[in-house]
Amino acid sequence: MSERYVLDLREVAETQVAVVGGKGGHLGGLSRIEGIRVPDGFCVTTDAFRRIMAEVPSIDDQLDQLSCVNPDDREAVRTLSARIRRTIEGIAIPGDLRGAITRALGRHGEQAAYAVRSSATAEDLPTASFAGQQDTYLNVVGPTAILQHISRCWASLFTERAVTYRRRGGIDHRTVHMAVVVQRMVFPDAAGILFTADPVTGNRKVATVDAGFGLGEALVSGLVNPDVFTVRHSEIVARTIAAKQRAVHALPDGGTREAAIDARRQEQPALTDAQVVRLVELGRRIEAHFGRPQDIEWCLVDDDFQIVQSRPITTLFPIPESGDQENHVYLSVGHQQMMTDPMKPLGISVWQLTAMAPMHEAGGRLFVDATRRLASPASRAALLDVVGRGDPLIRDALETVLERDDFVPSLPDAGPGGPPARGASAPIETDPAIVTGLIERSRTSIAALERDIRTKTGPALFDFLREAFEEHKRVLTDPLSMQAIMAGMEATWWLNDTLREWLGEKNAADTLTLSAPDNVTSEMGLALLDVADVIRPHPEVVAFLRGVESIEDDAFLDELAKVAGGAEARDAIESYLDRYGMRCVGEIDITRPRWRERPTTLVPVILDNVRNFEPGAAGRRFEQGRQKAREKERDVLSRLRALPDGDRKADEAKRMIDRVRTFIGYREYPKYGIISRYFVYKRALLAEAERLVEAGVLPEQEDIFYLTFQELHDVVRSHQVDDRLIQRRKDAFRSYHALTPPRVLTSDGEAVTGAYRRDDAPADALIGLPVSAGTIEGRARVILDMGEADLEAGDILVTAFTDPSWSPLFVGIAGLVTEVGGLMTHGAVIAREYGLPAVVGVERATRLIRDGQRIRVHGTDGYVEILP
């Protein structure tokens, strides 16, 4: 019975993570790969760990306390985790377990030197490496010392860093168990790390080798800088040979020591070129076996490589599946849609089914394949022009790829001529009735959808929805709608380009578009000011809203109506939700909770509006914007008339000003229509999910979010579901939050980062894209969750991205800084509508700017200064 506590490494299968942990499973898999040498050894299994934990009943209470501690309370985590480690290390190893371990040592050499290494069940996984979270002990000699270090490895499951890592990853301490790997010690000439993909760029065809003399601990601990070799297609394409002054060596009686390296050897490479190439070939074999890029620890002994660890590189962004071996260049959809968070499978598949272009999924995000458009000169020029105006970082990243002559194929143009010249004669008249008609057409179509879907259930609902998705795409691709959107955008570009040329004025269109008509997103922000006007006179309502965190969303409005003035406040909020309740942060993902489903999301913004504004602010704000736009128009036209050929220039500018004010507001309407439809689809699908829950097919309604549309259709038809698939999808979705999607991604896995390449800003400024003119100085409020907003007048909002749902915050701020965005993305359009100086596309803004710092936003020139 006791033999279950120990398994020889060669007996271990990589699927036995629950028995031998992640490291043990990987080492077992490695030992089975032809041509890969792994030092001999054995695993002390998780059964042994559970046996030890059962020896002390009080450990359960200690784990309960640990689970309740806030992971940010470092002192409490440190105290409780240290107590648990002391408890585990103090447990006497039972005789049968001790006997199993010593017998294994006898088989491998009782007095040999060993590495004793922790192997938790939640480490070296495809979604989380947990690297460095538990402990490894080198050159341990003798059974007594080995047993002691096995206890230390068990205890290391509860180091402060491991406990915090698990809590932040949403992993229950009780679900993780510790195995221990005991391996014959290797005494290498050189050691280091091999990444089978470039860990910085993500390029899967590039491998990097870090190498140093002696044990690898010198590199891992940062004692020395390694030699670094970069290998592509079995050829070293770059190398850096470091001055390696020290090394870590094993001592004869156990333990390790640092030693100085002979001065004549310090700048010699730790590996020859031939050894580097051979090591990478071994790494490719290991990568092929495990099916994903690997982070490999290796040792060189007498010109022979031994592999002592291999784990997945979990930081790499996945590559969309193309189904072929061709080169592809992918553009991030999230950067265009202002939502770079991961999406759930149902959200991804519904967006794919309703989008105008084919979309590819990777890492919970969507991408479009731009390869064909980049391949021919005319379409390439047009694409670079459009994306360059919107987001210069994307353009620069694409140009970086195009400079590699061999990556994007070159195809002839499909037809004669290039893209149409900017500012060419407009295909539609400047007629406000066009916008009115388009909005009415959309409303009629959505009303028909709401009416017709009411009677549809079961498989018939999915047949109906497939037809509805086609209507959805037809409305989206309506030629007149596309012309109206482009008319507003092209008029904006014309005004900015031409007035800069004629008058030397930057971003003139920003002021000329203030309070443009028919902008449903800016109206949404102003309408919440009107809600605040209803609430402000009622102190009981304000007090109720301040304490709303303890109330469930479905009871919120009913409870509100019970306080003095609450019925009036409820009606105002209900009216707002009737018009805008389908919106939410991350709204392109149908699975995200809408304001109608979670109305308490709006409470912090309403309270800010009550505190920071006087009654009637919405009307005043809109009228002030309109007056500023009129004044700007008069100023521009009078200055143009004073120029040579001034009357013609003024007439042209007047036509474009009329055009931009007619059409720029409509830019926001198609997204409103999409999200309105999404909420209709979602309510119908959730009703179907409720029937599945009642039938015992699903445990929870929201489990449908982890199925694709087709998979959900199949479940509704068959009343059968794969619970393990849903759990795998939940685990994967959780892991995707740790990934940062790149703007441009190649089929080699390279995340191509663009640069602004500007020299017109102060040296220490944070560079971005100017999208709304003006300069403002104020307190930075770094807000990642709209529901946690707490803003004062004059604050500058700093966040990762803003989709239309953030616009209610815009009425109360003085400026805007985002990490993601472009000239025509929603945040930029609304910033201009409200006259907020704004800079978007500021890389890592939420990490470089601290909440509460004073900053200066240069919205005209596109940079941010952090003030002392």
Side-chain angles (χ1 to χ4, degrees), residues 284-330:
R284 293 288 178 219
R285 203 175 297 174
I286 294 168
E287 178 184 69
H289 175 84
F290 289 117
R292 52 177 50 88
Q294 298 287 300
D295 165 358
I296 298 165
E297 292 181 25
W298 55 268
C299 294
L300 180 70
V301 185
D302 298 329
D303 197 34
D304 187 25
F305 286 105
Q306 297 211 31
I307 305 300
V308 294
Q309 187 166 337
S310 183
R311 62 167 74 94
I313 308 175
T314 58
T315 55
L316 299 178
F317 201 87
I319 307 170
E321 291 184 11
S322 63
D324 61 39
Q325 299 300 309
E326 302 297 318
N327 289 343
H328 295 270
V329 180
Y330 300 102

Tab-separated table of all heavy atoms in Angstrom, residues 284-330:
chain	number	residue	atom	x	y	z
A	284	ARG	N	13.362	21.988	-29.975
A	284	ARG	CA	12.263	21.840	-30.943
A	284	ARG	C	11.604	20.466	-30.799
A	284	ARG	O	10.391	20.326	-30.959
A	284	ARG	CB	12.784	22.027	-32.364
A	284	ARG	CG	13.271	23.435	-32.687
A	284	ARG	CD	12.117	24.402	-32.797
A	284	ARG	NE	12.564	25.772	-33.071
A	284	ARG	CZ	12.015	26.859	-32.539
A	284	ARG	NH1	11.021	26.734	-31.695
A	284	ARG	NH2	12.463	28.052	-32.845
A	285	ARG	N	12.396	19.453	-30.478
A	285	ARG	CA	11.841	18.111	-30.272
A	285	ARG	C	10.924	18.105	-29.042
A	285	ARG	O	9.843	17.510	-29.048
A	285	ARG	CB	12.999	17.120	-30.091
A	285	ARG	CG	12.642	15.685	-30.405
A	285	ARG	CD	13.874	14.788	-30.317
A	285	ARG	NE	14.894	15.138	-31.295
A	285	ARG	CZ	16.089	14.587	-31.346
A	285	ARG	NH1	16.431	13.660	-30.451
A	285	ARG	NH2	16.952	14.927	-32.272
A	286	ILE	N	11.374	18.764	-27.990
A	286	ILE	CA	10.569	18.841	-26.765
A	286	ILE	C	9.290	19.644	-27.017
A	286	ILE	O	8.191	19.258	-26.603
A	286	ILE	CB	11.407	19.482	-25.632
A	286	ILE	CG1	12.576	18.564	-25.260
A	286	ILE	CG2	10.543	19.777	-24.414
A	286	ILE	CD1	13.619	19.224	-24.364
A	287	GLU	N	9.419	20.748	-27.730
A	287	GLU	CA	8.268	21.588	-28.063
A	287	GLU	C	7.235	20.798	-28.852
A	287	GLU	O	6.027	20.878	-28.571
A	287	GLU	CB	8.746	22.796	-28.867
A	287	GLU	CG	7.647	23.734	-29.333
A	287	GLU	CD	8.199	24.850	-30.201
A	287	GLU	OE1	8.641	24.570	-31.338
A	287	GLU	OE2	8.193	25.998	-29.737
A	288	ALA	N	7.699	20.025	-29.829
A	288	ALA	CA	6.782	19.217	-30.645
A	288	ALA	C	6.051	18.198	-29.777
A	288	ALA	O	4.850	17.945	-29.966
A	288	ALA	CB	7.550	18.518	-31.764
A	289	HIS	N	6.763	17.618	-28.801
A	289	HIS	CA	6.141	16.616	-27.933
A	289	HIS	C	5.019	17.236	-27.098
A	289	HIS	O	3.922	16.668	-26.993
A	289	HIS	CB	7.196	15.992	-27.016
A	289	HIS	CG	6.623	15.030	-26.018
A	289	HIS	ND1	6.367	13.713	-26.321
A	289	HIS	CD2	6.239	15.205	-24.727
A	289	HIS	CE1	5.851	13.120	-25.268
A	289	HIS	NE2	5.764	14.007	-24.276
A	290	PHE	N	5.277	18.393	-26.498
A	290	PHE	CA	4.282	19.009	-25.617
A	290	PHE	C	3.274	19.868	-26.378
A	290	PHE	O	2.259	20.269	-25.812
A	290	PHE	CB	4.974	19.838	-24.538
A	290	PHE	CG	5.683	19.014	-23.502
A	290	PHE	CD1	7.058	19.107	-23.341
A	290	PHE	CD2	4.988	18.124	-22.691
A	290	PHE	CE1	7.719	18.343	-22.387
A	290	PHE	CE2	5.641	17.364	-21.731
A	290	PHE	CZ	7.004	17.463	-21.585
A	291	GLY	N	3.556	20.172	-27.641
A	291	GLY	CA	2.574	20.871	-28.464
A	291	GLY	C	2.500	22.362	-28.255
A	291	GLY	O	1.553	23.006	-28.716
A	292	ARG	N	3.470	22.950	-27.568
A	292	ARG	CA	3.484	24.412	-27.381
A	292	ARG	C	4.900	24.853	-27.015
A	292	ARG	O	5.693	24.040	-26.549
A	292	ARG	CB	2.493	24.843	-26.307
A	292	ARG	CG	2.620	24.114	-24.989
A	292	ARG	CD	1.647	24.654	-23.957
A	292	ARG	NE	0.295	24.742	-24.432
A	292	ARG	CZ	-0.606	23.758	-24.356
A	292	ARG	NH1	-0.248	22.585	-23.841
A	292	ARG	NH2	-1.823	23.921	-24.798
A	293	PRO	N	5.221	26.127	-27.224
A	293	PRO	CA	6.575	26.606	-26.901
A	293	PRO	C	6.936	26.358	-25.441
A	293	PRO	O	6.077	26.429	-24.555
A	293	PRO	CB	6.495	28.109	-27.206
A	293	PRO	CG	5.407	28.227	-28.222
A	293	PRO	CD	4.396	27.190	-27.846
A	294	GLN	N	8.239	26.079	-25.217
A	294	GLN	CA	8.690	25.673	-23.890
A	294	GLN	C	9.815	26.562	-23.363
A	294	GLN	O	10.628	27.095	-24.123
A	294	GLN	CB	9.199	24.226	-23.935
A	294	GLN	CG	8.145	23.206	-24.318
A	294	GLN	CD	7.138	22.945	-23.220
A	294	GLN	OE1	7.492	22.514	-22.119
A	294	GLN	NE2	5.862	23.202	-23.513
A	295	ASP	N	9.849	26.671	-22.037
A	295	ASP	CA	10.914	27.302	-21.264
A	295	ASP	C	11.668	26.135	-20.615
A	295	ASP	O	11.139	25.446	-19.749
A	295	ASP	CB	10.245	28.224	-20.232
A	295	ASP	CG	11.158	28.680	-19.110
A	295	ASP	OD1	12.326	28.265	-19.074
A	295	ASP	OD2	10.677	29.435	-18.245
A	296	ILE	N	12.899	25.888	-21.072
A	296	ILE	CA	13.629	24.650	-20.755
A	296	ILE	C	14.898	24.974	-19.969
A	296	ILE	O	15.692	25.829	-20.386
A	296	ILE	CB	13.999	23.896	-22.052
A	296	ILE	CG1	12.721	23.476	-22.803
A	296	ILE	CG2	14.873	22.671	-21.765
A	296	ILE	CD1	12.968	23.066	-24.247
A	297	GLU	N	15.091	24.281	-18.837
A	297	GLU	CA	16.345	24.394	-18.097
A	297	GLU	C	17.244	23.221	-18.495
A	297	GLU	O	16.802	22.071	-18.486
A	297	GLU	CB	16.079	24.377	-16.585
A	297	GLU	CG	15.341	25.621	-16.102
A	297	GLU	CD	15.112	25.613	-14.612
A	297	GLU	OE1	15.884	24.949	-13.889
A	297	GLU	OE2	14.147	26.264	-14.161
A	298	TRP	N	18.488	23.521	-18.839
A	298	TRP	CA	19.390	22.500	-19.372
A	298	TRP	C	20.751	22.562	-18.660
A	298	TRP	O	21.112	23.593	-18.074
A	298	TRP	CB	19.599	22.692	-20.888
A	298	TRP	CG	20.087	24.071	-21.227
A	298	TRP	CD1	19.313	25.151	-21.542
A	298	TRP	CD2	21.451	24.526	-21.251
A	298	TRP	NE1	20.114	26.261	-21.769
A	298	TRP	CE2	21.419	25.905	-21.592
A	298	TRP	CE3	22.686	23.917	-21.031
A	298	TRP	CZ2	22.573	26.671	-21.724
A	298	TRP	CZ3	23.851	24.680	-21.146
A	298	TRP	CH2	23.776	26.039	-21.490
A	299	CYS	N	21.461	21.448	-18.740
A	299	CYS	CA	22.833	21.365	-18.219
A	299	CYS	C	23.715	20.709	-19.277
A	299	CYS	O	23.254	19.812	-19.995
A	299	CYS	CB	22.891	20.506	-16.953
A	299	CYS	SG	22.024	21.201	-15.548
A	300	LEU	N	24.951	21.137	-19.376
A	300	LEU	CA	25.915	20.533	-20.294
A	300	LEU	C	26.976	19.798	-19.473
A	300	LEU	O	27.667	20.406	-18.649
A	300	LEU	CB	26.579	21.610	-21.157
A	300	LEU	CG	27.617	21.100	-22.163
A	300	LEU	CD1	26.947	20.319	-23.296
A	300	LEU	CD2	28.434	22.270	-22.741
A	301	VAL	N	27.057	18.488	-19.688
A	301	VAL	CA	28.048	17.652	-18.992
A	301	VAL	C	28.837	16.882	-20.042
A	301	VAL	O	28.269	16.046	-20.767
A	301	VAL	CB	27.355	16.669	-18.024
A	301	VAL	CG1	28.399	15.898	-17.216
A	301	VAL	CG2	26.402	17.406	-17.085
A	302	ASP	N	30.134	17.171	-20.167
A	302	ASP	CA	30.986	16.455	-21.127
A	302	ASP	C	30.383	16.456	-22.528
A	302	ASP	O	30.240	15.403	-23.167
A	302	ASP	CB	31.230	15.006	-20.669
A	302	ASP	CG	31.955	14.956	-19.336
A	302	ASP	OD1	32.759	15.876	-19.062
A	302	ASP	OD2	31.691	14.022	-18.558
A	303	ASP	N	29.974	17.649	-22.998
A	303	ASP	CA	29.407	17.836	-24.340
A	303	ASP	C	28.075	17.099	-24.532
A	303	ASP	O	27.659	16.835	-25.653
A	303	ASP	CB	30.408	17.396	-25.421
A	303	ASP	CG	30.031	17.961	-26.792
A	303	ASP	OD1	29.505	19.103	-26.839
A	303	ASP	OD2	30.226	17.260	-27.801
A	304	ASP	N	27.426	16.765	-23.441
A	304	ASP	CA	26.138	16.068	-23.519
A	304	ASP	C	25.099	16.898	-22.758
A	304	ASP	O	25.326	17.266	-21.597
A	304	ASP	CB	26.271	14.671	-22.892
A	304	ASP	CG	25.013	13.851	-23.111
A	304	ASP	OD1	24.298	14.138	-24.094
A	304	ASP	OD2	24.751	12.948	-22.302
A	305	PHE	N	23.979	17.204	-23.403
A	305	PHE	CA	22.948	18.020	-22.754
A	305	PHE	C	21.993	17.144	-21.941
A	305	PHE	O	21.524	16.109	-22.420
A	305	PHE	CB	22.137	18.799	-23.797
A	305	PHE	CG	22.881	19.960	-24.379
A	305	PHE	CD1	23.409	19.900	-25.663
A	305	PHE	CD2	23.074	21.119	-23.637
A	305	PHE	CE1	24.100	20.970	-26.200
A	305	PHE	CE2	23.766	22.199	-24.165
A	305	PHE	CZ	24.289	22.118	-25.438
A	306	GLN	N	21.716	17.576	-20.730
A	306	GLN	CA	20.690	16.951	-19.912
A	306	GLN	C	19.628	18.003	-19.610
A	306	GLN	O	19.958	19.177	-19.334
A	306	GLN	CB	21.287	16.401	-18.612
A	306	GLN	CG	22.303	15.301	-18.880
A	306	GLN	CD	22.355	14.277	-17.762
A	306	GLN	OE1	21.365	13.996	-17.097
A	306	GLN	NE2	23.527	13.694	-17.574
A	307	ILE	N	18.371	17.588	-19.660
A	307	ILE	CA	17.248	18.510	-19.461
A	307	ILE	C	16.716	18.297	-18.050
A	307	ILE	O	16.319	17.177	-17.692
A	307	ILE	CB	16.137	18.268	-20.504
A	307	ILE	CG1	16.714	18.353	-21.935
A	307	ILE	CG2	15.004	19.269	-20.309
A	307	ILE	CD1	17.350	19.683	-22.293
A	308	VAL	N	16.702	19.366	-17.256
A	308	VAL	CA	16.265	19.217	-15.873
A	308	VAL	C	14.884	19.823	-15.625
A	308	VAL	O	14.311	19.625	-14.562
A	308	VAL	CB	17.296	19.827	-14.895
A	308	VAL	CG1	18.593	19.048	-14.939
A	308	VAL	CG2	17.551	21.300	-15.187
A	309	GLN	N	14.329	20.545	-16.603
A	309	GLN	CA	12.965	21.051	-16.454
A	309	GLN	C	12.479	21.602	-17.791
A	309	GLN	O	13.260	22.118	-18.579
A	309	GLN	CB	12.896	22.155	-15.399
A	309	GLN	CG	11.478	22.606	-15.091
A	309	GLN	CD	11.409	23.431	-13.815
A	309	GLN	OE1	12.280	23.326	-12.964
A	309	GLN	NE2	10.391	24.236	-13.676
A	310	SER	N	11.167	21.467	-18.020
A	310	SER	CA	10.549	22.100	-19.179
A	310	SER	C	9.146	22.509	-18.777
A	310	SER	O	8.408	21.712	-18.190
A	310	SER	CB	10.499	21.142	-20.380
A	310	SER	OG	9.963	21.791	-21.505
A	311	ARG	N	8.800	23.752	-19.066
A	311	ARG	CA	7.455	24.225	-18.744
A	311	ARG	C	6.952	25.070	-19.911
A	311	ARG	O	7.747	25.615	-20.672
A	311	ARG	CB	7.463	25.058	-17.448
A	311	ARG	CG	8.296	26.298	-17.521
A	311	ARG	CD	8.011	27.234	-16.351
A	311	ARG	NE	8.571	26.765	-15.113
A	311	ARG	CZ	9.743	27.115	-14.618
A	311	ARG	NH1	10.529	27.945	-15.314
A	311	ARG	NH2	10.162	26.680	-13.462
A	312	PRO	N	5.637	25.181	-20.058
A	312	PRO	CA	5.114	26.038	-21.136
A	312	PRO	C	5.465	27.503	-20.888
A	312	PRO	O	5.541	27.941	-19.736
A	312	PRO	CB	3.586	25.841	-21.048
A	312	PRO	CG	3.357	24.726	-20.108
A	312	PRO	CD	4.562	24.589	-19.247
A	313	ILE	N	5.684	28.255	-21.973
A	313	ILE	CA	5.833	29.711	-21.844
A	313	ILE	C	4.416	30.283	-21.853
A	313	ILE	O	3.762	30.332	-22.897
A	313	ILE	CB	6.658	30.314	-22.999
A	313	ILE	CG1	7.988	29.580	-23.172
A	313	ILE	CG2	6.904	31.793	-22.750
A	313	ILE	CD1	8.797	30.050	-24.377
A	314	THR	N	3.932	30.670	-20.680
A	314	THR	CA	2.517	31.049	-20.568
A	314	THR	C	2.255	32.500	-20.953
A	314	THR	O	1.113	32.911	-21.048
A	314	THR	CB	2.020	30.832	-19.133
A	314	THR	OG1	2.836	31.601	-18.249
A	314	THR	CG2	2.101	29.366	-18.753
A	315	THR	N	3.316	33.293	-21.150
A	315	THR	CA	3.117	34.712	-21.448
A	315	THR	C	2.919	34.989	-22.932
A	315	THR	O	2.625	36.122	-23.316
A	315	THR	CB	4.328	35.519	-20.961
A	315	THR	OG1	5.515	34.970	-21.552
A	315	THR	CG2	4.449	35.458	-19.451
A	316	LEU	N	3.093	33.984	-23.775
A	316	LEU	CA	2.975	34.204	-25.220
A	316	LEU	C	1.508	34.361	-25.610
A	316	LEU	O	0.640	33.619	-25.149
A	316	LEU	CB	3.563	33.015	-25.992
A	316	LEU	CG	5.046	32.715	-25.780
A	316	LEU	CD1	5.433	31.478	-26.570
A	316	LEU	CD2	5.904	33.905	-26.188
A	317	PHE	N	1.270	35.306	-26.497
A	317	PHE	CA	-0.101	35.435	-26.992
A	317	PHE	C	-0.338	34.347	-28.034
A	317	PHE	O	0.486	34.135	-28.921
A	317	PHE	CB	-0.338	36.813	-27.611
A	317	PHE	CG	-1.800	37.148	-27.666
A	317	PHE	CD1	-2.420	37.749	-26.582
A	317	PHE	CD2	-2.563	36.806	-28.765
A	317	PHE	CE1	-3.780	38.017	-26.606
A	317	PHE	CE2	-3.918	37.062	-28.804
A	317	PHE	CZ	-4.532	37.677	-27.715
A	318	PRO	N	-1.465	33.610	-27.930
A	318	PRO	CA	-1.731	32.531	-28.904
A	318	PRO	C	-1.867	33.073	-30.329
A	318	PRO	O	-2.119	34.268	-30.538
A	318	PRO	CB	-3.055	31.933	-28.423
A	318	PRO	CG	-3.207	32.386	-27.007
A	318	PRO	CD	-2.519	33.714	-26.914
A	319	ILE	N	-1.715	32.172	-31.296
A	319	ILE	CA	-1.791	32.543	-32.713
A	319	ILE	C	-3.125	32.058	-33.282
A	319	ILE	O	-3.510	30.909	-33.051
A	319	ILE	CB	-0.646	31.897	-33.519
A	319	ILE	CG1	0.706	32.214	-32.871
A	319	ILE	CG2	-0.656	32.358	-34.966
A	319	ILE	CD1	1.862	31.432	-33.464
A	320	PRO	N	-3.858	32.908	-34.016
A	320	PRO	CA	-5.089	32.424	-34.651
A	320	PRO	C	-4.793	31.245	-35.580
A	320	PRO	O	-3.736	31.194	-36.223
A	320	PRO	CB	-5.568	33.646	-35.463
A	320	PRO	CG	-4.930	34.827	-34.796
A	320	PRO	CD	-3.610	34.334	-34.288
A	321	GLU	N	-5.718	30.293	-35.622
A	321	GLU	CA	-5.546	29.134	-36.513
A	321	GLU	C	-5.917	29.540	-37.935
A	321	GLU	O	-6.989	30.074	-38.174
A	321	GLU	CB	-6.414	27.976	-36.034
A	321	GLU	CG	-5.938	27.366	-34.723
A	321	GLU	CD	-6.762	26.151	-34.325
A	321	GLU	OE1	-7.552	25.660	-35.164
A	321	GLU	OE2	-6.635	25.722	-33.169
A	322	SER	N	-4.996	29.266	-38.859
A	322	SER	CA	-5.253	29.661	-40.249
A	322	SER	C	-5.589	28.466	-41.139
A	322	SER	O	-6.180	28.627	-42.202
A	322	SER	CB	-4.023	30.375	-40.824
A	322	SER	OG	-2.914	29.484	-40.861
A	323	GLY	N	-5.187	27.265	-40.710
A	323	GLY	CA	-5.449	26.079	-41.523
A	323	GLY	C	-4.474	25.899	-42.657
A	323	GLY	O	-4.666	25.024	-43.509
A	324	ASP	N	-3.443	26.735	-42.727
A	324	ASP	CA	-2.437	26.567	-43.782
A	324	ASP	C	-1.067	26.932	-43.224
A	324	ASP	O	-0.938	27.307	-42.061
A	324	ASP	CB	-2.774	27.423	-45.021
A	324	ASP	CG	-2.823	28.920	-44.698
A	324	ASP	OD1	-1.983	29.391	-43.902
A	324	ASP	OD2	-3.690	29.628	-45.235
A	325	GLN	N	-0.055	26.816	-44.040
A	325	GLN	CA	1.315	27.120	-43.617
A	325	GLN	C	1.797	28.469	-44.163
A	325	GLN	O	2.988	28.771	-44.121
A	325	GLN	CB	2.266	25.998	-44.098
A	325	GLN	CG	1.936	24.631	-43.520
A	325	GLN	CD	2.001	24.624	-42.004
A	325	GLN	OE1	2.989	25.062	-41.425
A	325	GLN	NE2	0.936	24.156	-41.352
A	326	GLU	N	0.866	29.268	-44.688
A	326	GLU	CA	1.242	30.563	-45.271
A	326	GLU	C	1.495	31.593	-44.170
A	326	GLU	O	1.063	31.426	-43.029
A	326	GLU	CB	0.112	31.071	-46.182
A	326	GLU	CG	-0.259	30.116	-47.311
A	326	GLU	CD	0.887	29.880	-48.276
A	326	GLU	OE1	1.583	30.865	-48.615
A	326	GLU	OE2	1.107	28.718	-48.659
A	327	ASN	N	2.154	32.669	-44.552
A	327	ASN	CA	2.341	33.796	-43.625
A	327	ASN	C	1.062	34.617	-43.537
A	327	ASN	O	0.384	34.843	-44.553
A	327	ASN	CB	3.484	34.696	-44.096
A	327	ASN	CG	4.841	34.042	-43.933
A	327	ASN	OD1	4.987	33.062	-43.200
A	327	ASN	ND2	5.848	34.585	-44.599
A	328	HIS	N	0.742	35.077	-42.322
A	328	HIS	CA	-0.444	35.909	-42.117
A	328	HIS	C	-0.105	37.076	-41.203
A	328	HIS	O	0.732	36.954	-40.309
A	328	HIS	CB	-1.585	35.094	-41.487
A	328	HIS	CG	-2.105	34.001	-42.361
A	328	HIS	ND1	-3.138	34.180	-43.247
A	328	HIS	CD2	-1.705	32.711	-42.497
A	328	HIS	CE1	-3.368	33.044	-43.881
A	328	HIS	NE2	-2.511	32.137	-43.450
A	329	VAL	N	-0.800	38.204	-41.440
A	329	VAL	CA	-0.672	39.380	-40.581
A	329	VAL	C	-2.069	39.700	-40.050
A	329	VAL	O	-3.000	39.920	-40.835
A	329	VAL	CB	-0.117	40.597	-41.355
A	329	VAL	CG1	0.010	41.798	-40.423
A	329	VAL	CG2	1.220	40.265	-41.991
A	330	TYR	N	-2.207	39.702	-38.722
A	330	TYR	CA	-3.516	39.893	-38.088
A	330	TYR	C	-3.573	41.241	-37.375
A	330	TYR	O	-2.619	41.651	-36.710
A	330	TYR	CB	-3.776	38.783	-37.072
A	330	TYR	CG	-3.784	37.389	-37.660
A	330	TYR	CD1	-2.689	36.546	-37.521
A	330	TYR	CD2	-4.900	36.916	-38.353
A	330	TYR	CE1	-2.689	35.271	-38.058
A	330	TYR	CE2	-4.916	35.642	-38.892
A	330	TYR	CZ	-3.801	34.817	-38.748
A	330	TYR	OH	-3.818	33.555	-39.282
